[in-house]
Amino acid sequence: MQKFKFRDNPNPKVPQKKVWKKKEPTPSSSSSTSSKKQTKKVWRKKEIPRNWLDLPRDVTESILQRLGSVEILKTAEKVCTLWRNICKEPSMWRDINMINLYYWEGGSSDPLKMCHNAVDRSCGQLRAINIEYVANDELLNYIAQSSSQLRRLRLFDCYEITDEGLIEMVEKLPLLEELDITISTLSLSEETIEAVGRHCPHLKSFKWNHEEYRFPHIQCDEEAVAIAKNMPELRHLQLVGNRLTNDGLQAILDNCPHLESLDLRKCFNVTLSGDLGRRCARIKNLQLPNDSTNDSVFIVETSGNGSFEEDLPFWMLDADDLSDDYEYYYDSDISYDDYFSKYNEDWEYIVRPF
Amino acid sequence: MANGENQNPNPNPIEATPGAAARTITLKTADGEIFEVEEAVAMEFGTVKSFFEDDAVSATKPMPLPNVSGSALSRVITYCRRSLEIRSMIPPATSEDATAAEAVQGEGDLEAEKAAKQERKEFEAEFLKDESNEDVKELILAANYLNIKELLDFLCRSVALRIQNKSVEYARKFFGIEGDYTPEEEAQIRQEYAWAFEGVDED
């Protein structure tokens, strides 16, 4: 990971522990003849003796990175030229998280354009990308064209992508290690899985999850068997809401000897007893058909208080999973009440709309 | 800063540990304060760790920290100490060939992990409660200089959280940054990124 070096400001003055937060902001009380804009500026300078531009660049980068790709494009880079320069660094765009775009579809914002822009900025150094809802085949292709080094891909509820689009994409991603397709209208045929397996020999993690279990009695081992045939290097497999039976499971266990985690929640056609049960028990992280999915992203209710982080790749936004557990914030010139009410609004805003 | 001013924050009481006495490391801050810290805690500071690993320096001489103030260091020590405690709540990972019986015990570990996570969340929520912006910035600078990844991550996360989904003006005010775009540049940016403008809440 990054090594933080203290570069820029080797000898900051010893700080005074001012209680400036208690000061009342009264910009208008002073020279009323000066323009309103100017008075505001004066007030700011008095209140904050040193500004945060003092921070070493990589620390600022670390903060801004946590805002998530969309926020960086929307806000962070408009703050000042320094931040803009930081936001243009390819290193800020190695992990792209295009989430919460749903909320802005109604406005003049164009989520696809944002995605393209984000990918452009990575300058070919893209390692991981997570897209919710808005991806289409064209975007998938766009990503693949410029980012052959992609390691991790997640497509959440991207209803516009097709099997062909996905196949075309993975053909150009030989280094792919993690593929997560959660909630999708893809049929994920044997052909698709075979293509993924063939073009991505390093694939270690595969997630293919359905939102709900619509047809409990239909059994289908096609996907399971295809996975078994084509993805022998898997360490992590997540098949929530899959229709596989014990036969399919057997095939997977037989052909994926390195499995460390297996998530079979809502796979109701599987019965883990006897020998099969024993084999599964040896898998380090096993989740059974009847285990709860309440903490998962697939079946999210309106409250955002689940700890999603177990189910999301670790590179996803930290800020997201903090959600409304953080009901405090450190004091500043705004009153606590203002903070608190804004705070709640913010986090409702970010909660997923299921 | 006079020593007397920081009565409470010196988090140093050398606890009586059963068995061997805890080894302590002495640190001296920019403003001349001396801190004696348990070795385990001090080793959380990457800078301190390399200092004592690379150098055959005796641990009795105080290590100078010219970029860190007493108040910041005291907060940092509090954080690291608590963080170590929380981490020790989780037993070490079980071995690879866990049988079914051990897998059940593994569940106990899962519980411990959850409890530890909860502890950490509560602790972190409290930790920054009364800190001003300036204090947080100082902490960040200290954590960066001392090379304490966990603390730095936490602080950066907290700051990012605070400006999440806020407007440009809010971010500027918060960080005390003056926008240095000319009105023309500003207009150009607005146009360039028109597709990214909607959806920000009012300040």
Side-chain angles (χ1 to χ4, degrees):
Chain A
M1 275 282 331
Q2 285 168 303
K3 186 158 201 300
F4 293 105
K5 280 199 166 23
F6 194 90
R7 265 189 255 135
D8 295 277
N9 195 354
N11 205 3
K13 288 189 287 211
V14 171
Q16 309 282 305
K17 197 159 186 177
K18 287 192 182 149
V19 188
W20 60 269
K21 62 189 175 202
K22 300 229 170 80
K23 277 192 205 157
E24 227 67 48
T26 49
S28 50
S29 64
S30 52
S31 52
S32 46
T33 45
S34 47
S35 78
K36 17 185 186 8
K37 271 273 186 309
Q38 263 185 337
T39 334
K40 231 180 171 169
K41 265 194 185 160
V42 167
W43 165 64
R44 238 187 269 147
K45 279 190 179 134
K46 231 187 343 170
E47 288 277 319
I48 299 159
R50 284 185 302 167
N51 79 30
W52 288 62
L53 297 176
D54 291 346
L55 281 185
R57 194 183 168 103
D58 49 11
V59 176
T60 306
E61 215 179 285
S62 177
I63 295 175
L64 295 183
Q65 236 164 11
R66 289 159 207 275
L67 291 173
S69 316
V70 176
E71 190 86 16
I72 293 171
L73 289 171
K74 268 181 357 72
T75 309
E77 69 164 28
K78 299 183 188 112
V79 169
C80 62
T81 40
L82 173 67
W83 279 27
R84 190 169 192 210
N85 289 333
I86 293 178
C87 291
K88 294 206 148 173
E89 295 272 345
S91 55
M92 288 277 280
W93 300 94
R94 289 216 186 98
D95 289 359
I96 294 180
N97 256 306
M98 302 308 285
I99 60 176
N100 296 329
L101 286 172
Y102 173 91
Y103 293 94
W104 298 310
E105 268 173 44
S108 67
S109 65
D110 185 337
L112 278 176
K113 261 213 188 120
M114 281 204 221
C115 294
H116 280 249
N117 201 280
V119 170
D120 287 342
R121 288 172 187 225
S122 67
C123 297
Q125 296 177 33
L126 186 63
R127 307 284 274 207
I129 186 164
N130 169 34
I131 307 176
E132 295 190 347
Y133 308 112
V134 301
N136 57 15
D137 286 348
E138 191 276 322
L139 179 63
L140 294 188
N141 189 47
Y142 191 79
I143 295 168
Q145 297 272 31
S146 64
S147 314
S148 57
Q149 309 212 38
L150 194 65
R151 301 289 202 271
R152 302 188 219 106
L153 172 64
R154 179 176 189 258
L155 300 167
F156 180 88
D157 203 354
C158 294
Y159 45 86
E160 291 189 7
I161 60 177
T162 66
D163 281 62
E164 293 75 33
L166 185 62
I167 293 176
E168 254 192 67
M169 185 193 196
V170 298
E171 279 170 4
K172 307 187 186 82
L173 302 175
L175 299 178
L176 198 65
E177 291 173 9
E178 288 179 30
L179 178 59
D180 178 347
I181 304 176
T182 294
I183 302 178
S184 160
T185 47
L186 288 181
S187 60
L188 213 72
S189 60
E190 193 181 328
E191 188 196 340
T192 313
I193 296 179
E194 191 261 338
V196 173
R198 188 162 28 101
H199 294 288
C200 309
H202 299 285
L203 198 71
K204 305 246 174 7
S205 165
F206 184 54
K207 296 185 185 180
W208 168 238
N209 300 311
H210 291 283
E211 186 178 8
E212 40 179 275
Y213 198 71
R214 286 198 176 94
F215 306 108
H217 300 300
I218 293 183
Q219 302 182 340
C220 179
D221 281 318
E222 192 182 300
E223 290 156 3
V225 167
I227 291 170
K229 268 214 289 221
N230 294 290
M231 299 181 179
E233 294 295 319
L234 281 185
R235 308 299 194 258
H236 310 283
L237 180 59
Q238 188 178 61
L239 293 173
V240 173
N242 199 284
R243 296 169 297 178
L244 84 165
T245 68
N246 283 3
D247 291 337
L249 179 55
Q250 181 96 32
I252 290 174
L253 292 174
D254 286 340
N255 293 287
C256 303
H258 306 292
L259 270 187
E260 293 168 14
S261 59
L262 181 60
D263 188 344
L264 297 170
R265 284 177 288 176
K266 302 232 177 315
C267 298
F268 295 127
N269 294 326
V270 163
T271 44
L272 291 179
S273 58
D275 192 47
L276 205 59
R278 269 191 292 278
R279 288 180 76 183
C280 284
R282 267 187 251 129
I283 293 173
K284 235 191 319 202
N285 297 314
L286 177 69
Q287 293 194 277
L288 305 170
N290 290 307
D291 283 353
S292 153
T293 48
N294 283 336
D295 61 345
S296 297
V297 72
F298 333 108
I299 309 196
V300 170
E301 314 305 329
T302 50
S303 72
N305 63 4
S307 56
F308 300 157
E309 64 263 31
E310 283 108 41
D311 280 285
L312 301 178
F314 72 88
W315 45 266
M316 279 203 68
L317 258 194
D318 279 337
D320 224 327
D321 62 48
L322 293 176
S323 69
D324 51 35
D325 287 321
Y326 279 71
E327 294 197 342
Y328 75 92
Y329 208 70
Y330 57 83
D331 206 350
S332 82
D333 47 82
I334 298 177
S335 82
Y336 185 71
D337 283 335
D338 275 356
Y339 253 50
F340 198 73
S341 60
K342 278 183 203 304
Y343 189 78
N344 278 331
E345 281 159 31
D346 292 347
W347 287 106
E348 267 151 31
Y349 203 73
I350 291 190
V351 159
R352 298 172 204 279
F354 276 85
Chain B
M1 225 187 278
N3 242 341
E5 201 179 337
N6 285 319
Q7 314 266 0
N8 167 37
N10 190 333
N12 174 40
I14 298 182
E15 293 130 6
T17 39
R23 257 182 46 142
T24 61
I25 290 185
T26 316
L27 306 168
K28 181 169 176 183
T29 65
D31 43 352
E33 265 192 77
I34 307 278
F35 286 82
E36 276 194 54
V37 190
E38 303 87 70
E39 187 177 358
V41 174
M43 286 300 152
E44 293 284 295
F45 309 169
T47 334
V48 174
K49 188 160 188 235
S50 12
F51 183 79
F52 284 107
E53 274 172 359
D54 300 343
D55 247 54
V57 171
S58 116
T60 53
K61 262 174 73 179
M63 174 183 171
L65 301 175
N67 290 311
V68 186
S69 72
S71 62
L73 184 60
S74 126
R75 296 293 280 141
V76 168
I77 290 172
T78 306
Y79 180 90
C80 291
R81 197 175 265 156
R82 187 77 183 106
S83 179
L84 271 178
E85 277 172 27
I86 292 176
R87 253 183 278 151
S88 69
M89 283 170 67
I90 304 173
T94 46
S95 70
E96 288 261 332
D97 326 277
T99 59
E102 281 175 356
V104 170
Q105 188 186 30
E107 271 185 47
D109 286 354
L110 212 62
E111 285 305 309
E113 269 190 52
K114 279 197 174 141
K117 221 174 216 173
Q118 186 58 29
E119 279 279 342
R120 178 168 291 280
K121 281 186 171 165
E122 287 170 9
F123 158 59
E124 287 184 349
E126 268 303 306
F127 188 74
L128 288 182
K129 197 142 112 178
D130 296 318
E131 301 284 329
S132 69
N133 263 8
E134 268 305 302
D135 291 339
V136 174
K137 185 153 74 115
E138 249 206 276
L139 281 177
I140 290 182
L141 288 170
N144 186 45
Y145 173 71
L146 293 170
N147 197 1
I148 309 169
K149 185 177 182 312
E150 192 182 52
L151 175 58
L152 192 56
D153 278 354
F154 161 55
L155 291 170
C156 289
R157 224 190 309 143
S158 307
V159 173
L161 210 74
R162 197 59 202 92
I163 58 174
Q164 182 93 40
N165 226 27
K166 290 288 201 275
S167 70
V168 174
E169 264 314 304
Y170 187 94
R172 284 179 182 156
K173 193 160 81 166
F174 184 83
F175 287 107
I177 295 173
E178 304 210 354
D180 52 355
Y181 292 120
T182 64
E184 295 82 32
E185 282 172 334
E186 188 109 28
Q188 187 204 10
I189 292 174
R190 276 200 169 245
Q191 207 184 24
E192 210 177 302
Y193 296 109
W195 40 257
F197 253 94
E198 296 294 307
V200 178
D201 55 323
E202 305 297 314
D203 271 351

